Amino acid sequence: DQRVGHAYAQLIAAWKKAFPAGDIKPAALLWMQGWADARVPELAKDYEQHLTRLIAALRRDLGAPQMKAVIAEINPAKVTPVSPFPFVDEVRATQRAFPAKDPLTICISTDGLTKAKDQVHYDTAGQQGLGQRFAEAFLQLLARDSP
């Protein structure tokens, strides 16, 4: 939401700069986020509300009310070489349940994707696997629209 921080405003400005005529609309949001929320109990608790507001704001501000969203589950261990993520289970549960509240969304598992030494970020093969899962999920969402 624009009122929350500058990153949202930058995203909207970048989109409008790339497509100044306003005739191009996003088909989908590919969402891979939530680690910071898994560190703080209040953020984990409010994750659903924040994600709901973000998707609604993007649909509104980009004039794309039917924009789909593919949400990838976070999957760090509760304690990694980088940081503790004590609320990872809460964030993942919210991510998995989200499509029941928004039929234009789907959640994908990231389990089994290979990671870098920090056990948070994906290595090259993990990134490729994530991209494949995003693409497959997006195609599933598109198939829902087919008669």
Side-chain angles (χ1 to χ4, degrees):
D1 188 308
Q2 295 180 67
R3 296 164 290 173
V4 176
H6 68 282
Y8 183 84
Q10 289 176 330
L11 171 64
I12 298 302
W15 183 272
K16 291 182 177 181
K17 182 177 179 182
F19 306 106
D23 56 338
I24 303 293
K25 306 295 180 193
L29 168 69
L30 305 180
W31 187 250
M32 178 78 256
Q33 185 279 339
W35 297 275
D37 304 86
R39 292 180 184 163
V40 181
E42 296 81 17
L43 292 177
K45 182 177 80 56
D46 293 339
Y47 189 83
E48 179 185 342
Q49 176 188 359
H50 294 164
L51 185 56
T52 300
R53 285 179 30 208
L54 172 70
I55 292 172
L58 285 169
R59 288 174 176 156
R60 178 193 67 229
D61 294 343
L62 297 176
Q66 295 301 306
M67 180 188 79
K68 296 167 179 23
V70 180
I71 301 163
E73 292 178 344
I74 61 168
N75 73 354
K78 290 195 180 206
V79 177
T80 70
V82 175
S83 182
F85 299 92
F87 305 99
V88 66
D89 294 335
E90 291 87 340
V91 172
R92 282 173 58 101
T94 298
Q95 291 171 324
R96 278 192 296 271
F98 198 85
K101 296 177 170 78
D102 184 339
L104 295 175
T105 65
I106 193 168
C107 182
I108 60 172
S109 171
T110 54
D111 292 348
L113 296 175
T114 55
K115 294 185 180 176
K117 289 180 183 177
D118 67 7
Q119 293 304 302
V120 176
H121 300 95
Y122 300 103
D123 62 13
T124 300
Q127 291 269 345
Q128 291 169 335
L130 180 61
Q132 184 70 33
R133 291 178 189 187
F134 270 129
E136 290 168 358
F138 179 60
L139 291 174
Q140 286 178 30
L141 284 173
L142 288 178
R144 292 180 188 172
D145 293 341
S146 298

